[in-house]
Amino acid sequence: MNHRPLIGINMDLRASVKSRTPHSLTPTGYYDCLVTAGALPIMIPPLMRESDLVPILEKLDGVVLTGGDDLDPRKMGLSPHPSVNAMCERREISDRILCKLVQQERIPTLGIGLGMQELNVVAGGGLFVHIPEDLPKSIPHYDPHGGAHRHTVVMQPKTRLAEIYGPGEIRVNSYHHMGIRKLAPNFRISALAPDGLIEAYEGREPGWWVVGVQWHPENEGNISLDMQLIEAFVEAAGARRNVPALAKVG
């Protein structure tokens, strides 16, 4: 019997307010698209100790780093900005540990939105805090009124994403005002927006399947182009399940 890959999904965190205690949550699109692609989703709560997260990751075949609010610019040595809606500190601490561990253990990883930004920062990259100001000639990457926004991205030749989506350009959803300023050394560009902003990256090492996308394939999981990426990720996670443990570590 073939075992379905177990994919961890890091959860968002909402702080307490007068009428609500703190709670963790995950948009349904993340686990629905994984189930559609043949995987079993496992929720990862925002735990703040490596010793609590390691035993969870040891049981997983892959990890999805989800979207959410913004990284705190001050933790990256940058100035605050009024556009920033910083995530809960507990989630940021937990996410940074997760990013360190998936990189360290070479766990197949798909970073989405905030998740791709976090992984890039932890791996040694940097971010634009507010694209409209940092790149005045940039195209719009979000709707300031909160509505749907789309733009094209161009796949880079001879990359994993070009294999998944095909060469040329596709239209993607776009909800971000932060973006990648400096790409981490162990990543390479997979897709660019028309203004030159990095919209996707992938790992340079053949032994680690890792892709980060600035758009949200889980939001439109019934669209075949979006599911192609999810399916490729699940396939990579399933392949890792069949690798002996010592080979994974090596």
Side-chain angles (χ1 to χ4, degrees):
M1 178 179 178
N2 293 326
H3 294 281
R4 297 165 69 181
L6 296 178
I7 306 297
I9 304 172
N10 65 320
M11 302 181 74
D12 200 0
L13 181 65
R14 291 288 181 260
S16 61
V17 294
K18 288 183 179 179
S19 59
R20 185 187 68 201
T21 58
H23 67 284
S24 296
L25 68 160
T26 302
T28 59
Y30 288 109
Y31 50 83
D32 281 347
C33 69
L34 289 172
V35 171
T36 299
L40 290 175
I42 305 294
M43 301 301 122
I44 305 175
L47 305 174
M48 295 195 294
R49 293 190 303 185
E50 189 171 319
S51 59
D52 293 329
L53 288 168
V54 167
I56 297 173
L57 292 181
E58 287 177 346
K59 300 181 184 301
L60 299 177
D61 303 303
V63 170
V64 173
L65 298 170
T66 61
D69 294 330
D70 298 323
L71 282 164
D72 187 340
R74 295 169 298 180
K75 292 184 171 62
M76 298 182 284
L78 302 171
S79 299
H81 191 277
S83 68
V84 171
N85 183 24
M87 72 178 83
C88 288
E89 185 176 21
R90 176 173 172 175
R91 177 183 173 179
E92 182 162 352
I93 291 170
S94 179
D95 283 4
R96 283 177 176 268
I97 297 172
L98 272 178
C99 289
K100 170 193 165 186
L101 291 174
V102 297
Q103 181 179 203
Q104 180 178 298
E105 300 300 327
R106 300 299 188 259
I107 299 171
T109 301
L110 176 59
I112 296 175
L114 166 67
M116 71 95 79
Q117 295 174 4
E118 291 177 314
L119 188 57
N120 181 63
V121 168
V122 171
L127 299 181
F128 293 115
V129 172
H130 191 53
I131 295 169
E133 292 182 8
D134 294 332
L135 289 174
K137 296 182 180 180
S138 64
I139 65 171
H141 287 270
Y142 71 102
D143 182 343
H145 304 293
H149 179 73
R150 296 178 73 85
H151 62 71
T152 60
V153 301
V154 180
M155 300 299 147
Q156 300 303 289
K158 299 180 180 179
T159 60
R160 179 172 283 127
L161 253 65
E163 293 177 4
I164 293 171
Y165 285 105
E169 66 180 37
I170 63 171
R171 289 184 65 82
V172 299
N173 52 39
S174 187
Y175 306 97
H176 62 105
H177 75 100
M178 287 180 134
I180 292 182
R181 177 194 294 268
K182 174 189 173 186
L183 193 61
N186 52 341
F187 299 145
R188 64 177 179 176
I189 298 171
S190 296
L192 293 170
D195 56 13
L197 188 70
I198 296 172
E199 287 284 323
Y201 61 72
E202 61 192 57
R204 292 182 179 273
E205 300 176 28
W208 182 28
W209 197 102
V210 55
V211 168
V213 294
Q214 190 63 80
W215 63 90
H216 286 260
E218 86 288 349
N219 281 9
E220 297 168 288
N222 292 324
I223 296 177
S224 60
L225 279 176
D226 289 323
M227 279 307 296
Q228 285 177 9
L229 176 57
I230 304 298
E231 289 166 354
F233 165 61
V234 169
E235 182 180 352
R240 183 179 188 270
R241 167 176 279 272
N242 298 321
V243 175
L246 288 177
K248 293 180 186 178
V249 175

